[in-house]
Amino acid sequence: MGTVVMHNVVSVDGFIADEKDDVGPLHEWYFSGDTPVTAADGEGFDHSGAGSGFRVSKASAPYVRSVWDSLGTIVMGRRLFDLVNGWEGDPPAGDHVVVVSHRPKPQGWHPEASYHFVDDVAAAIAKAQELAGERTIAVNAGDVGAQILAAGLVDEVAMDVVPVVFGSGRRFFGSIDRQHLLEDPDVVIQGERVLHLRFKVRR
């Protein structure tokens, strides 16, 4: 089965958006670099649709490429799905999306897209693993990500830390209410206006 990674861009003080779901400058580094995000074989992720226009620094590019190239399935909550309208059925990376929601997929919404709606976090990870095979499952941070971490279903935590302080807003770890130990970071990469960190979850 593929590795389950809880991932998001995050402020220095641990927020993935403000209280109005505005991400502010958190994603600017994705578009301000001089290197397109492309796969190792030359096929670009920089396509029309959700992934359009991604250009990162030379320091960030190899890491972002490897993460995106390994990705099979994204797991997201209904809040994010509604905010971005599911990237119009065209996720920025990966082939499949699993949405944790008590509401079904909107009627008639992009029937061609591999989007699957489930109402339980354990079922969401099981479905994501079925779809991804040996490829990575990326879990968006926030409340749903925190529930998946609390259920013991996250293998690694990946953070793209941006030098901004929000003060309040949507927390990377949601409303998680107990301690979880992580290993020392096995990835530490300084990009331009972003620090990439990755930790294994201690079992």
Side-chain angles (χ1 to χ4, degrees):
M1 292 186 294
T3 303
V4 178
V5 182
M6 181 178 173
H7 172 255
N8 232 90
V9 182
V10 61
S11 69
V12 170
D13 55 343
F15 295 97
I16 58 176
D18 67 17
E19 287 149 342
K20 296 180 179 178
D21 293 307
D22 188 341
V23 298
L26 287 181
H27 294 171
E28 287 177 1
W29 66 274
Y30 269 129
F31 307 98
S32 61
D34 54 9
T35 308
V37 177
T38 55
D41 62 3
E43 291 298 318
F45 288 113
D46 191 13
H47 55 81
S48 61
S52 179
F54 283 93
R55 299 181 69 88
V56 299
S57 69
K58 289 179 182 175
S60 292
Y63 174 69
V64 175
R65 287 171 182 160
S66 67
V67 168
W68 286 20
D69 193 41
S70 70
L71 184 59
T73 306
I74 294 173
V75 178
M76 66 193 308
R78 185 60 180 254
R79 181 189 200 93
L80 180 58
F81 174 87
D82 288 342
L83 281 170
V84 301
N85 196 28
W87 303 296
E88 299 296 341
D90 185 18
D95 299 317
H96 314 280
V97 174
V98 176
V99 182
V100 181
S101 176
H102 295 297
R103 291 178 285 137
K105 179 161 60 173
Q107 189 171 4
W109 184 89
H110 294 285
E112 77 289 351
S114 181
Y115 279 58
H116 308 265
F117 286 63
V118 298
D119 63 1
D120 173 79
V121 294
I125 294 300
K127 183 65 177 177
Q129 288 174 328
E130 173 193 328
L131 294 165
E134 297 300 314
R135 301 180 74 192
T136 302
I137 295 101
V139 174
N140 284 114
D143 288 332
V144 166
Q147 292 171 40
I148 293 170
L149 177 64
L153 299 172
V154 171
D155 300 310
E156 300 181 18
V157 171
M159 310 173 87
D160 298 319
V161 183
V162 172
V164 59
V165 176
F166 272 35
S168 63
R170 308 290 178 196
R171 295 185 178 278
F172 183 99
F173 290 104
S175 55
I176 204 159
D177 61 359
R178 69 178 183 85
Q179 186 180 92
H180 292 264
L181 289 175
L182 308 177
E183 301 294 350
D184 290 338
D186 58 320
V187 172
V188 181
I189 298 170
Q190 182 176 339
E192 294 175 13
R193 303 300 296 170
V194 65
L195 177 65
H196 307 287
L197 299 173
R198 192 156 173 158
F199 311 80
K200 288 182 172 60
V201 176
R202 184 173 292 183
R203 301 299 188 192

